[in-house]
Structures are given as structure tokens and as C-alpha cells.
Amino acid sequence: MGSGKSTLSDYFAKKGAKVIDADLIYREVVHKGKPALTEIVRVFGNEVLDGEGQLDRKKLASIVFNDKVKLEVLNGLTHKYIIEEIIEEIKKARESHVEVLVIECPIPIKHGFIDLVDEVYVVVADEKVRAERIMKRNNLSFDDALKRIRSQMTNDEYISIADKVIRNESDFDSLIAQLEGNI
């Protein structure tokens, strides 16, 4: 979160790649009436729903980003549905003879996502830089941004599974120059 994954995915998309965004798929699989939402409500209660019966993502975030165990429970509930959808999107892309397929995913290793790709590109940035980006983008406090960052894998953990590492602590042009030097 806040490292620049989406910026790189957008760049690849502009160059003609098909991008599968795991966060967007997450939003789809937790819609009202979907099995993932039913499971979330069973575990976390009706208080994670808004007045229309949809998932209140901010309310759920306030619960799971303050408790690593609850975050792991949520990931365990949702990732099977996300992986199903990603696999289906990969099949469609292959049938359409897509040349470059990018899966943008914040949790690549712990829940089976890494098995779906040929190469892993990891974007890392200093924690403070990431927190500042998240604060600006999501209108969060510094502490809340840090909680979200620290709920994910560390930079070292990401680097350990990477085929290519992109460091993103500067501007867009520097990020793209690193990327182009790695592909």
C-alpha cells in the first residue's frame, strides 16, 4: 500500500498490457448477495454493513487493521473468491491471446497468488514515503496509514519473493526509468 503498484499497473496498461487488479476484484466479490459478504457478516457481524446491506469497507478496515488476527481471518474468507476470479480472468486473457498480463496484488505469497504468475515485480518504498502517499490519497492520519502498511508484508519479505525489485521513493519519471531498465 502506497508503494506505487497501481502507478506501475497503469503504466503497463497504457503500453497495452491487460491488468487484473486484485483490489477491484475484492470489491466485486464482497457485493451484497455474494458468498464472500455472507461469510464476512457471519464472522464480523452486521455492524460491517451500511444501511443498504453493502459492505462498509471503512468500518471493516477499522476492525481488521487494528488486529492482525482479524485481518488474517478476513483474508482467509475472501482470498479464495479473489483467486477464483483471477484464474477466470487469466483464462479469458489466454483465450484472447493477450501478450502481457499484469496482476496487481498486494498479498502475493501467503494466499496462493504467486503461483499464478511467471515473474514477480515488487515495488517498494520507505515506510514514511508510503504513509505520506496513503494519507494524501485516503485522507488518513499518519498512525492509520502506518497500521495499514504494517498489516502487510515488509519490504524485505516482498523483496525475498521478487524476480525484479523497483524502488519508488522519488517521482514518476524515476519509477518508470527503473521499470524500463528491468524489462
Short mmCIF file of all heavy atoms in Angstrom, two decimals, residues 27-69:
data_model
loop_
_atom_site.label_atom_id
_atom_site.label_comp_id
_atom_site.label_asym_id
_atom_site.label_seq_id
_atom_site.Cartn_x
_atom_site.Cartn_y
_atom_site.Cartn_z
N ARG A 27 -13.47 -5.88 -4.33
CA ARG A 27 -14.69 -5.06 -4.22
C ARG A 27 -15.89 -5.74 -4.87
O ARG A 27 -17.01 -5.61 -4.40
CB ARG A 27 -14.44 -3.68 -4.83
CG ARG A 27 -13.49 -2.86 -3.99
CD ARG A 27 -13.26 -1.48 -4.56
NE ARG A 27 -12.22 -0.82 -3.80
CZ ARG A 27 -11.18 -0.22 -4.33
NH1 ARG A 27 -11.04 -0.17 -5.64
NH2 ARG A 27 -10.27 0.36 -3.57
N GLU A 28 -15.63 -6.47 -5.96
CA GLU A 28 -16.72 -7.18 -6.63
C GLU A 28 -17.20 -8.38 -5.82
O GLU A 28 -18.40 -8.62 -5.74
CB GLU A 28 -16.25 -7.66 -8.02
CG GLU A 28 -16.01 -6.54 -9.00
CD GLU A 28 -15.37 -7.02 -10.30
OE1 GLU A 28 -15.40 -8.24 -10.57
OE2 GLU A 28 -14.84 -6.17 -11.03
N VAL A 29 -16.27 -9.14 -5.23
CA VAL A 29 -16.68 -10.37 -4.55
C VAL A 29 -17.34 -10.11 -3.20
O VAL A 29 -17.93 -11.04 -2.63
CB VAL A 29 -15.52 -11.39 -4.39
CG1 VAL A 29 -14.94 -11.77 -5.74
CG2 VAL A 29 -14.46 -10.92 -3.43
N VAL A 30 -17.29 -8.88 -2.70
CA VAL A 30 -17.93 -8.58 -1.42
C VAL A 30 -19.23 -7.78 -1.59
O VAL A 30 -19.75 -7.23 -0.62
CB VAL A 30 -16.97 -7.86 -0.44
CG1 VAL A 30 -15.80 -8.75 -0.09
CG2 VAL A 30 -16.52 -6.51 -0.96
N HIS A 31 -19.76 -7.74 -2.80
CA HIS A 31 -21.04 -7.06 -3.02
C HIS A 31 -22.17 -7.81 -2.31
O HIS A 31 -22.08 -9.01 -2.05
CB HIS A 31 -21.38 -6.98 -4.52
CG HIS A 31 -20.80 -5.79 -5.19
ND1 HIS A 31 -21.34 -4.53 -5.10
CD2 HIS A 31 -19.71 -5.68 -5.98
CE1 HIS A 31 -20.61 -3.69 -5.79
NE2 HIS A 31 -19.61 -4.36 -6.33
N LYS A 32 -23.24 -7.08 -2.05
CA LYS A 32 -24.44 -7.65 -1.44
C LYS A 32 -24.89 -8.88 -2.23
O LYS A 32 -24.94 -8.86 -3.45
CB LYS A 32 -25.54 -6.59 -1.42
CG LYS A 32 -26.79 -7.01 -0.70
CD LYS A 32 -27.79 -5.85 -0.68
CE LYS A 32 -29.04 -6.25 0.05
NZ LYS A 32 -29.99 -5.12 0.11
N GLY A 33 -25.19 -9.95 -1.49
CA GLY A 33 -25.66 -11.17 -2.12
C GLY A 33 -24.56 -12.15 -2.51
O GLY A 33 -24.85 -13.29 -2.86
N LYS A 34 -23.32 -11.73 -2.44
CA LYS A 34 -22.20 -12.61 -2.79
C LYS A 34 -21.79 -13.44 -1.57
O LYS A 34 -21.87 -12.98 -0.43
CB LYS A 34 -21.00 -11.79 -3.29
CG LYS A 34 -21.28 -10.97 -4.52
CD LYS A 34 -21.13 -11.82 -5.75
CE LYS A 34 -21.25 -10.95 -6.99
NZ LYS A 34 -20.62 -11.56 -8.13
N PRO A 35 -21.33 -14.67 -1.80
CA PRO A 35 -20.94 -15.55 -0.68
C PRO A 35 -19.86 -14.94 0.23
O PRO A 35 -19.90 -15.16 1.45
CB PRO A 35 -20.43 -16.82 -1.36
CG PRO A 35 -20.96 -16.78 -2.74
CD PRO A 35 -21.20 -15.35 -3.09
N ALA A 36 -18.92 -14.21 -0.33
CA ALA A 36 -17.86 -13.62 0.50
C ALA A 36 -18.44 -12.66 1.53
O ALA A 36 -18.03 -12.66 2.69
CB ALA A 36 -16.82 -12.92 -0.36
N LEU A 37 -19.42 -11.85 1.12
CA LEU A 37 -20.02 -10.91 2.06
C LEU A 37 -20.78 -11.66 3.15
O LEU A 37 -20.72 -11.29 4.33
CB LEU A 37 -20.93 -9.91 1.36
CG LEU A 37 -21.56 -8.86 2.28
CD1 LEU A 37 -20.49 -8.04 3.01
CD2 LEU A 37 -22.48 -7.94 1.48
N THR A 38 -21.47 -12.71 2.77
CA THR A 38 -22.19 -13.52 3.75
C THR A 38 -21.22 -14.05 4.81
O THR A 38 -21.50 -14.00 6.01
CB THR A 38 -22.92 -14.69 3.05
OG1 THR A 38 -23.81 -14.15 2.08
CG2 THR A 38 -23.69 -15.54 4.05
N GLU A 39 -20.07 -14.53 4.36
CA GLU A 39 -19.07 -15.05 5.30
C GLU A 39 -18.50 -13.95 6.19
O GLU A 39 -18.28 -14.14 7.38
CB GLU A 39 -17.94 -15.76 4.54
CG GLU A 39 -18.39 -17.06 3.90
CD GLU A 39 -17.23 -17.84 3.29
OE1 GLU A 39 -16.15 -17.88 3.91
OE2 GLU A 39 -17.42 -18.39 2.20
N ILE A 40 -18.26 -12.78 5.60
CA ILE A 40 -17.74 -11.65 6.37
C ILE A 40 -18.72 -11.26 7.47
O ILE A 40 -18.34 -11.06 8.63
CB ILE A 40 -17.43 -10.45 5.45
CG1 ILE A 40 -16.22 -10.77 4.57
CG2 ILE A 40 -17.18 -9.18 6.27
CD1 ILE A 40 -15.99 -9.78 3.45
N VAL A 41 -19.99 -11.18 7.13
CA VAL A 41 -21.01 -10.80 8.12
C VAL A 41 -21.13 -11.88 9.19
O VAL A 41 -21.28 -11.57 10.38
CB VAL A 41 -22.37 -10.54 7.43
CG1 VAL A 41 -23.48 -10.36 8.45
CG2 VAL A 41 -22.27 -9.31 6.53
N ARG A 42 -21.04 -13.14 8.81
CA ARG A 42 -21.10 -14.23 9.78
C ARG A 42 -19.99 -14.08 10.83
O ARG A 42 -20.21 -14.29 12.02
CB ARG A 42 -20.99 -15.57 9.07
CG ARG A 42 -21.05 -16.79 10.00
CD ARG A 42 -20.92 -18.12 9.27
NE ARG A 42 -19.85 -18.22 8.30
CZ ARG A 42 -18.56 -18.41 8.61
NH1 ARG A 42 -18.18 -18.53 9.86
NH2 ARG A 42 -17.64 -18.51 7.65
N VAL A 43 -18.81 -13.68 10.40
CA VAL A 43 -17.67 -13.57 11.30
C VAL A 43 -17.62 -12.23 12.03
O VAL A 43 -17.39 -12.17 13.23
CB VAL A 43 -16.35 -13.82 10.54
CG1 VAL A 43 -15.15 -13.53 11.41
CG2 VAL A 43 -16.30 -15.25 10.02
N PHE A 44 -17.85 -11.13 11.31
CA PHE A 44 -17.65 -9.79 11.88
C PHE A 44 -18.94 -9.10 12.32
O PHE A 44 -18.88 -8.06 12.96
CB PHE A 44 -16.88 -8.91 10.89
CG PHE A 44 -15.48 -9.38 10.64
CD1 PHE A 44 -15.17 -10.13 9.52
CD2 PHE A 44 -14.47 -9.11 11.56
CE1 PHE A 44 -13.87 -10.59 9.29
CE2 PHE A 44 -13.17 -9.56 11.35
CZ PHE A 44 -12.87 -10.31 10.21
N GLY A 45 -20.09 -9.67 11.96
CA GLY A 45 -21.36 -9.12 12.39
C GLY A 45 -21.94 -8.10 11.43
O GLY A 45 -21.27 -7.60 10.53
N ASN A 46 -23.21 -7.78 11.65
CA ASN A 46 -23.94 -6.84 10.79
C ASN A 46 -23.40 -5.42 10.87
O ASN A 46 -23.71 -4.60 10.00
CB ASN A 46 -25.43 -6.83 11.15
CG ASN A 46 -26.13 -8.08 10.67
OD1 ASN A 46 -25.80 -8.63 9.62
ND2 ASN A 46 -27.09 -8.55 11.45
N GLU A 47 -22.60 -5.11 11.89
CA GLU A 47 -22.07 -3.74 12.01
C GLU A 47 -21.11 -3.39 10.89
O GLU A 47 -20.78 -2.22 10.72
CB GLU A 47 -21.42 -3.51 13.38
CG GLU A 47 -20.24 -4.40 13.68
CD GLU A 47 -20.63 -5.68 14.42
OE1 GLU A 47 -21.82 -6.03 14.50
OE2 GLU A 47 -19.71 -6.35 14.92
N VAL A 48 -20.68 -4.38 10.08
CA VAL A 48 -19.80 -4.06 8.95
C VAL A 48 -20.61 -3.76 7.68
O VAL A 48 -20.03 -3.56 6.62
CB VAL A 48 -18.76 -5.17 8.68
CG1 VAL A 48 -17.83 -5.34 9.88
CG2 VAL A 48 -19.42 -6.49 8.29
N LEU A 49 -21.93 -3.72 7.81
CA LEU A 49 -22.79 -3.38 6.69
C LEU A 49 -23.27 -1.94 6.79
O LEU A 49 -23.46 -1.42 7.89
CB LEU A 49 -24.01 -4.31 6.65
CG LEU A 49 -23.74 -5.80 6.45
CD1 LEU A 49 -25.05 -6.58 6.52
CD2 LEU A 49 -23.02 -6.04 5.12
N ASP A 50 -23.51 -1.32 5.63
CA ASP A 50 -24.10 0.01 5.64
C ASP A 50 -25.63 -0.13 5.67
O ASP A 50 -26.15 -1.25 5.75
CB ASP A 50 -23.62 0.84 4.44
CG ASP A 50 -24.06 0.30 3.09
OD1 ASP A 50 -24.99 -0.54 3.01
OD2 ASP A 50 -23.47 0.72 2.07
N GLY A 51 -26.34 0.96 5.58
CA GLY A 51 -27.80 0.95 5.65
C GLY A 51 -28.48 0.20 4.52
O GLY A 51 -29.64 -0.18 4.63
N GLU A 52 -27.76 -0.02 3.42
CA GLU A 52 -28.33 -0.71 2.27
C GLU A 52 -27.89 -2.18 2.18
O GLU A 52 -28.17 -2.86 1.19
CB GLU A 52 -27.97 0.03 0.99
CG GLU A 52 -28.57 1.44 0.96
CD GLU A 52 -28.13 2.24 -0.25
OE1 GLU A 52 -27.54 1.65 -1.18
OE2 GLU A 52 -28.38 3.45 -0.27
N GLY A 53 -27.19 -2.66 3.20
CA GLY A 53 -26.75 -4.04 3.21
C GLY A 53 -25.46 -4.32 2.45
O GLY A 53 -25.10 -5.47 2.24
N GLN A 54 -24.79 -3.26 2.03
CA GLN A 54 -23.49 -3.40 1.37
C GLN A 54 -22.39 -3.35 2.42
O GLN A 54 -22.58 -2.81 3.51
CB GLN A 54 -23.27 -2.28 0.34
CG GLN A 54 -24.20 -2.31 -0.84
CD GLN A 54 -23.86 -3.43 -1.84
OE1 GLN A 54 -22.90 -4.18 -1.69
NE2 GLN A 54 -24.68 -3.54 -2.86
N LEU A 55 -21.23 -3.87 2.07
CA LEU A 55 -20.10 -3.82 2.97
C LEU A 55 -19.66 -2.37 3.20
O LEU A 55 -19.47 -1.62 2.26
CB LEU A 55 -18.93 -4.62 2.40
CG LEU A 55 -17.67 -4.67 3.26
CD1 LEU A 55 -17.95 -5.39 4.58
CD2 LEU A 55 -16.54 -5.36 2.51
N ASP A 56 -19.53 -2.01 4.46
CA ASP A 56 -18.97 -0.71 4.83
C ASP A 56 -17.46 -0.93 4.99
O ASP A 56 -16.99 -1.38 6.03
CB ASP A 56 -19.59 -0.22 6.14
CG ASP A 56 -19.13 1.16 6.55
OD1 ASP A 56 -17.99 1.56 6.17
OD2 ASP A 56 -19.88 1.86 7.26
N ARG A 57 -16.73 -0.68 3.92
CA ARG A 57 -15.30 -1.00 3.89
C ARG A 57 -14.51 -0.23 4.94
O ARG A 57 -13.56 -0.76 5.51
CB ARG A 57 -14.74 -0.75 2.49
CG ARG A 57 -15.30 -1.76 1.48
CD ARG A 57 -14.87 -1.54 0.04
NE ARG A 57 -13.46 -1.33 -0.09
CZ ARG A 57 -12.91 -0.27 -0.71
NH1 ARG A 57 -13.66 0.65 -1.25
NH2 ARG A 57 -11.61 -0.16 -0.80
N LYS A 58 -14.92 1.00 5.22
CA LYS A 58 -14.21 1.78 6.25
C LYS A 58 -14.41 1.16 7.63
O LYS A 58 -13.48 1.09 8.43
CB LYS A 58 -14.66 3.23 6.24
CG LYS A 58 -14.14 4.01 5.05
CD LYS A 58 -14.52 5.46 5.12
CE LYS A 58 -13.98 6.19 3.91
NZ LYS A 58 -14.29 7.61 3.91
N LYS A 59 -15.61 0.71 7.91
CA LYS A 59 -15.90 0.09 9.20
C LYS A 59 -15.10 -1.21 9.34
O LYS A 59 -14.48 -1.46 10.37
CB LYS A 59 -17.40 -0.18 9.33
CG LYS A 59 -17.79 -0.88 10.60
CD LYS A 59 -17.58 -0.02 11.82
CE LYS A 59 -18.10 -0.74 13.05
NZ LYS A 59 -17.89 -0.01 14.26
N LEU A 60 -15.12 -2.03 8.29
CA LEU A 60 -14.36 -3.27 8.33
C LEU A 60 -12.87 -2.99 8.47
O LEU A 60 -12.18 -3.64 9.25
CB LEU A 60 -14.64 -4.12 7.09
CG LEU A 60 -13.96 -5.48 7.04
CD1 LEU A 60 -14.38 -6.36 8.22
CD2 LEU A 60 -14.27 -6.18 5.71
N ALA A 61 -12.38 -1.98 7.75
CA ALA A 61 -10.96 -1.62 7.84
C ALA A 61 -10.58 -1.22 9.26
O ALA A 61 -9.51 -1.58 9.75
CB ALA A 61 -10.64 -0.50 6.86
N SER A 62 -11.47 -0.49 9.93
CA SER A 62 -11.17 -0.06 11.30
C SER A 62 -11.05 -1.25 12.25
O SER A 62 -10.35 -1.19 13.25
CB SER A 62 -12.23 0.93 11.81
OG SER A 62 -13.45 0.27 12.08
N ILE A 63 -11.71 -2.34 11.90
CA ILE A 63 -11.63 -3.55 12.72
C ILE A 63 -10.36 -4.34 12.39
O ILE A 63 -9.58 -4.67 13.27
CB ILE A 63 -12.88 -4.44 12.50
CG1 ILE A 63 -14.13 -3.73 13.00
CG2 ILE A 63 -12.71 -5.80 13.18
CD1 ILE A 63 -15.44 -4.39 12.58
N VAL A 64 -10.14 -4.62 11.12
CA VAL A 64 -9.06 -5.54 10.75
C VAL A 64 -7.67 -4.92 10.76
O VAL A 64 -6.69 -5.61 10.99
CB VAL A 64 -9.32 -6.25 9.40
CG1 VAL A 64 -10.61 -7.05 9.46
CG2 VAL A 64 -9.32 -5.28 8.23
N PHE A 65 -7.58 -3.62 10.52
CA PHE A 65 -6.25 -3.01 10.52
C PHE A 65 -5.77 -2.67 11.93
O PHE A 65 -4.67 -2.17 12.11
CB PHE A 65 -6.19 -1.79 9.61
CG PHE A 65 -6.23 -2.16 8.15
CD1 PHE A 65 -7.24 -1.70 7.32
CD2 PHE A 65 -5.27 -3.00 7.61
CE1 PHE A 65 -7.28 -2.06 5.99
CE2 PHE A 65 -5.31 -3.37 6.27
CZ PHE A 65 -6.32 -2.89 5.45
N ASN A 66 -6.58 -3.00 12.92
CA ASN A 66 -6.18 -2.86 14.32
C ASN A 66 -5.93 -4.21 14.98
O ASN A 66 -5.65 -4.28 16.18
CB ASN A 66 -7.25 -2.09 15.11
CG ASN A 66 -7.25 -0.63 14.77
OD1 ASN A 66 -6.22 0.03 14.89
ND2 ASN A 66 -8.39 -0.12 14.34
N ASP A 67 -6.04 -5.30 14.19
CA ASP A 67 -5.90 -6.64 14.77
C ASP A 67 -5.44 -7.60 13.67
O ASP A 67 -6.23 -7.98 12.79
CB ASP A 67 -7.25 -7.07 15.33
CG ASP A 67 -7.22 -8.39 16.06
OD1 ASP A 67 -6.45 -9.29 15.66
OD2 ASP A 67 -8.00 -8.55 17.02
N LYS A 68 -4.18 -7.99 13.73
CA LYS A 68 -3.62 -8.86 12.67
C LYS A 68 -4.35 -10.19 12.55
O LYS A 68 -4.49 -10.71 11.45
CB LYS A 68 -2.13 -9.10 12.91
CG LYS A 68 -1.27 -7.94 12.53
CD LYS A 68 0.19 -8.34 12.50
CE LYS A 68 0.99 -7.15 11.98
NZ LYS A 68 2.05 -7.54 11.09
N VAL A 69 -4.83 -10.72 13.65
CA VAL A 69 -5.55 -11.99 13.61
C VAL A 69 -6.84 -11.81 12.81
O VAL A 69 -7.18 -12.63 11.95
CB VAL A 69 -5.84 -12.53 15.03
CG1 VAL A 69 -6.76 -13.74 14.98
CG2 VAL A 69 -4.53 -12.87 15.73
#
